[in-house]
Amino acid sequence: MVDESSIEGEHLVFMTKVRRPASLLLFAMMLAIMVPSAPAPVAAGDAVILTIAGDIEKSNRGAFDPFADGFLGYHDKAFKTAFEVTAKDLAGLPQVTITAFGEADTWKGPVRLTGPRLKDVLALAGAVGKPVTVFALDGYGAEFDVKSLNAHDWVLAHSLNGRRLSLGGRGPFWLAYETGDTPATTDEEAKWVWSVFYIEVQSK
Ligand SMILES: Nc1nc2c(c(=O)[nH]1)N[C@H]1C(S)=C(S)[C@@H](COP(=O)(O)O)O[C@H]1N2
Ligand SMILES: [Mo]
């Protein structure tokens, strides 16, 4: 049998002890050592997940830096002017969901892709009405003149069937447009760049 009165008694003694200022301080110090602060999330909202460079009107970072921009350097991308886009920036833009169907043999059927419109993303950097080249992690790039940018409602998708695109999958972004259930031609799909991480803006 547990004697409840004695437990309560001990508890009271403990409480009176920690209420003394010196003990309180010691208690707080011990807590700080014992309880580690929560680790930072892997992908924080302020993580840069896309860089837009070239002939842009808004810039929020310096020129290409061979140290800090190691992966861009690996791809021989150098620039004077660029705009860093964070996950939070993109989350603040209107999100659309499209049904996209490609031709390549890996496709089993149409998929749902969700993300902001490419034009809204480009507007963040003040890159409106200019040709762009969209580059992927594997080095693949597709060029878009203004006409081809306006020919479709291009979506820079971050999610596939409601799941965030992964690095190693087709993330961080996949460029596509609405096709409905009729697959795009291979020529069209060649512009559907997946694993997008860098956009170069050309002068008009
Ligand atoms: N990152 C990246 N995106 C890409 C490609 C690529 O090689 N790398 N190929 C393009 C081409 S030519 C086609 S037809 C489609 C389909 O590619 P998949 O067969 O690799 O799915 O993706 C397009 N997007
Ligand atoms: Mo292709």
Side-chain angles (χ1 to χ4, degrees), residues 25-143:
L25 186 67
L26 189 71
F27 183 65
M29 281 166 69
M30 277 170 65
L31 249 187
I33 294 163
M34 283 157 50
V35 184
S37 55
V42 174
D46 59 358
V48 175
I49 40 181
L50 177 74
T51 303
I52 303 173
D55 192 13
I56 56 175
E57 274 154 32
K58 282 185 228 158
S59 174
N60 62 1
R61 54 153 291 162
F64 170 77
D65 171 350
F67 176 71
D69 300 316
F71 191 66
L72 286 162
Y74 166 82
H75 279 291
D76 290 323
K77 305 288 181 238
F79 45 81
K80 282 204 187 91
T81 316
F83 190 93
E84 294 180 330
V85 184
T86 65
K88 217 163 137 192
D89 294 333
L90 293 177
L93 298 175
Q95 307 289 308
V96 288
T97 295
I98 54 168
T99 300
F101 196 5
E103 255 258 299
D105 24 329
T106 49
W107 287 77
K108 294 184 197 85
V111 296
R112 272 183 308 118
L113 295 177
T114 306
R117 290 184 175 89
L118 177 64
K119 67 174 167 74
D120 290 341
V121 176
L122 291 172
L124 290 173
V128 178
K130 288 174 180 169
V132 300
T133 309
V134 177
F135 286 101
L137 299 172
D138 62 346
Y140 185 83
E143 285 180 34

Side-chain angles (χ1 to χ4, degrees), residues 140 186-187 189-190:
Y140 185 83
T186 317
D187 274 359
E189 208 195 325

Side-chain angles (χ1 to χ4, degrees), residues 118 122 129-136 140-156 174-177 187-194 196 198-204:
L118 177 64
L122 291 172
K130 288 174 180 169
V132 300
T133 309
V134 177
F135 286 101
Y140 185 83
E143 285 180 34
F144 297 82
D145 56 19
V146 177
K147 202 176 148 209
S148 64
L149 283 177
N150 293 331
H152 299 282
D153 198 8
W154 289 98
V155 173
L156 195 63
W174 191 358
L175 191 61
Y177 52 77
D187 274 359
E188 288 180 300
E189 208 195 325
K191 299 260 189 182
W192 292 13
V193 188
W194 36 263
V196 172
Y198 181 69
I199 301 178
E200 216 168 73
V201 180
Q202 276 90 45
S203 318
K204 274 187 216 177

